[in-house]
Amino acid sequence: MNIIECAGLGRRYRRIWALRDCTLAIPAGHVVALVGPNGSGKTTLLELVVGLRVPSAGRLSVLGGVAPGSIPALSRVAFVAQDAPLYRQLSVADTLRLAAHLNHRWDHQWARRRVAELAIPPSAKLGALSSGKQAQIAVTVALARRPELLILDEPLARLDPLARHEFLAAVLEAVATDGISVVFSSHVLAELDRVADYLVVLSEGHVQVAGETDTLVAGHRMLVGPTDHVDLLPAELPIISAQRADQQTRLLARCGGDPRPAAEAGFRAEPVGVEELVLAYLRHPDATALPGPSGATESREVPA
Ligand code: ADP
């Protein structure tokens, strides 16, 4: 089952396309990092997925063919919007009671136990809690609905490193115990690369990279070799980014595990990290790594 499936999906705000020609098929059971700079269309995509906005173009379904925002989708998808919106004047206990009334599926015992584990007094007003604790309450409310798909828009932005760690641990525990799928959006990859096993990179409203993190990492190498040998590399080798110096050039290439063509040109092939890979694509918005019939990427000129 694909938790999110879209083809040619687009959303326009007046004359500006916030999202264009977005085609994805994300299988269930993943922790997905949706990464891109501010303004790249992440919130727009997530709001389409939860049915808060309607597409201007293309098709979109969730949970194996369900229409976003429909009754079956609403009960199975939980969404935590940016800044963990909560009623600041309500107490923690009242927040849980309100959520219990608003949701058909609601695990009150689990929610209360979790608040106790977090050492948050039920009588505390939400507005008086730290942003880390507020985020924990928001995710507790989302998880107590027992969703199959949890969507979190920029959940880490306001949290300090310790709160980020605790927040991610809470989400990963839900993934491990209940097998839910999670989509995080973020404008920075730091920390998400530890937890995400599926990556979608958005740039200027289009999907630049999509796929399982391990497969993407295994499909790329950093080629390091003499600058005057660059022309000896196979012309069809997809080069994503280049750092040139007088003597040595480093090329991030989509070339899989076969080091021979690079070695023949005098280049050594080093493994790449997820963050390095994402940054290389973001620096070159024309480059793509998308699953296709052949899995091939267009060859291109070595970028300057
Ligand atoms: P991100 O979440 O990656 O920061 P957004 O989806 O919020 O990106 O925005 C993508 C683009 O759409 C930006 O150029 C933004 O200014 C524009 N945009 C988003 N929401 C609206 C809106 N309600 N009206 C007009 N333009 C919008």
Short mmCIF file of all heavy atoms in Angstrom, two decimals, residues 13 18 37-44 53, ligand 1:
data_model
loop_
_atom_site.label_atom_id
_atom_site.label_comp_id
_atom_site.label_asym_id
_atom_site.label_seq_id
_atom_site.Cartn_x
_atom_site.Cartn_y
_atom_site.Cartn_z
N TYR A 13 -1.25 29.37 -6.07
CA TYR A 13 -1.85 30.47 -5.32
C TYR A 13 -1.87 31.66 -6.28
O TYR A 13 -0.81 32.19 -6.61
CB TYR A 13 -1.03 30.82 -4.09
CG TYR A 13 -0.92 29.68 -3.09
CD1 TYR A 13 0.26 28.99 -2.92
CD2 TYR A 13 -2.03 29.29 -2.33
CE1 TYR A 13 0.37 27.96 -2.01
CE2 TYR A 13 -1.94 28.25 -1.43
CZ TYR A 13 -0.74 27.59 -1.26
OH TYR A 13 -0.63 26.55 -0.37
N ALA A 18 2.96 26.94 -6.20
CA ALA A 18 3.73 26.57 -5.00
C ALA A 18 4.24 25.15 -5.13
O ALA A 18 5.25 24.78 -4.52
CB ALA A 18 2.84 26.70 -3.77
N PRO A 37 14.28 23.91 1.08
CA PRO A 37 14.43 25.25 1.66
C PRO A 37 13.07 25.88 1.95
O PRO A 37 12.04 25.40 1.45
CB PRO A 37 15.16 26.04 0.57
CG PRO A 37 15.44 25.10 -0.54
CD PRO A 37 14.73 23.82 -0.29
N ASN A 38 13.07 26.95 2.72
CA ASN A 38 11.82 27.68 2.96
C ASN A 38 11.22 28.10 1.63
O ASN A 38 11.94 28.55 0.74
CB ASN A 38 12.06 28.90 3.84
CG ASN A 38 12.36 28.50 5.28
OD1 ASN A 38 11.89 27.47 5.74
ND2 ASN A 38 13.16 29.30 5.96
N GLY A 39 9.91 27.92 1.51
CA GLY A 39 9.23 28.34 0.28
C GLY A 39 9.28 27.29 -0.82
O GLY A 39 8.81 27.55 -1.94
N SER A 40 9.80 26.09 -0.54
CA SER A 40 9.91 25.09 -1.61
C SER A 40 8.62 24.31 -1.82
O SER A 40 8.53 23.52 -2.77
CB SER A 40 11.07 24.13 -1.32
OG SER A 40 10.91 23.53 -0.05
N GLY A 41 7.63 24.49 -0.95
CA GLY A 41 6.33 23.85 -1.17
C GLY A 41 6.01 22.72 -0.20
O GLY A 41 5.02 22.00 -0.39
N LYS A 42 6.78 22.59 0.88
CA LYS A 42 6.57 21.47 1.81
C LYS A 42 5.20 21.56 2.49
O LYS A 42 4.45 20.60 2.51
CB LYS A 42 7.68 21.46 2.89
CG LYS A 42 9.08 21.34 2.31
CD LYS A 42 10.14 21.29 3.40
CE LYS A 42 10.22 22.52 4.27
NZ LYS A 42 10.63 23.75 3.58
N THR A 43 4.90 22.74 3.06
CA THR A 43 3.61 22.89 3.76
C THR A 43 2.46 22.69 2.79
O THR A 43 1.46 22.03 3.10
CB THR A 43 3.51 24.27 4.44
OG1 THR A 43 4.57 24.36 5.39
CG2 THR A 43 2.19 24.47 5.14
N THR A 44 2.62 23.22 1.59
CA THR A 44 1.56 23.07 0.58
C THR A 44 1.31 21.59 0.31
O THR A 44 0.16 21.13 0.30
CB THR A 44 1.97 23.81 -0.71
OG1 THR A 44 2.15 25.18 -0.39
CG2 THR A 44 0.93 23.65 -1.80
N ARG A 53 -6.10 21.65 1.76
CA ARG A 53 -6.15 22.39 0.49
C ARG A 53 -6.52 21.41 -0.61
O ARG A 53 -6.30 20.20 -0.46
CB ARG A 53 -4.79 23.01 0.17
CG ARG A 53 -4.39 24.04 1.19
CD ARG A 53 -3.32 24.93 0.68
NE ARG A 53 -2.90 25.87 1.70
CZ ARG A 53 -3.48 27.04 1.95
NH1 ARG A 53 -4.51 27.43 1.21
NH2 ARG A 53 -3.03 27.84 2.89
P1 ADP B 1 7.56 25.66 2.63
O1 ADP B 1 6.65 24.93 3.55
O2 ADP B 1 8.55 24.78 1.95
O3 ADP B 1 8.23 26.84 3.29
P2 ADP B 1 5.13 26.67 1.36
O4 ADP B 1 4.34 25.50 0.88
O5 ADP B 1 4.71 27.30 2.65
O6 ADP B 1 6.68 26.25 1.42
O7 ADP B 1 5.15 27.79 0.24
C1 ADP B 1 5.48 27.53 -1.11
C2 ADP B 1 5.26 28.80 -1.91
O8 ADP B 1 3.88 29.13 -1.94
C3 ADP B 1 5.97 30.03 -1.33
O9 ADP B 1 6.41 30.81 -2.41
C4 ADP B 1 4.88 30.72 -0.56
O10 ADP B 1 5.12 32.12 -0.50
C5 ADP B 1 3.65 30.42 -1.40
N1 ADP B 1 2.43 30.36 -0.58
C6 ADP B 1 2.20 29.48 0.43
N2 ADP B 1 0.96 29.68 0.96
C7 ADP B 1 0.41 30.69 0.27
C8 ADP B 1 -0.86 31.37 0.32
N3 ADP B 1 -1.79 31.01 1.21
N4 ADP B 1 -1.07 32.36 -0.57
C9 ADP B 1 -0.13 32.73 -1.47
N5 ADP B 1 1.08 32.13 -1.59
C10 ADP B 1 1.34 31.13 -0.73
#
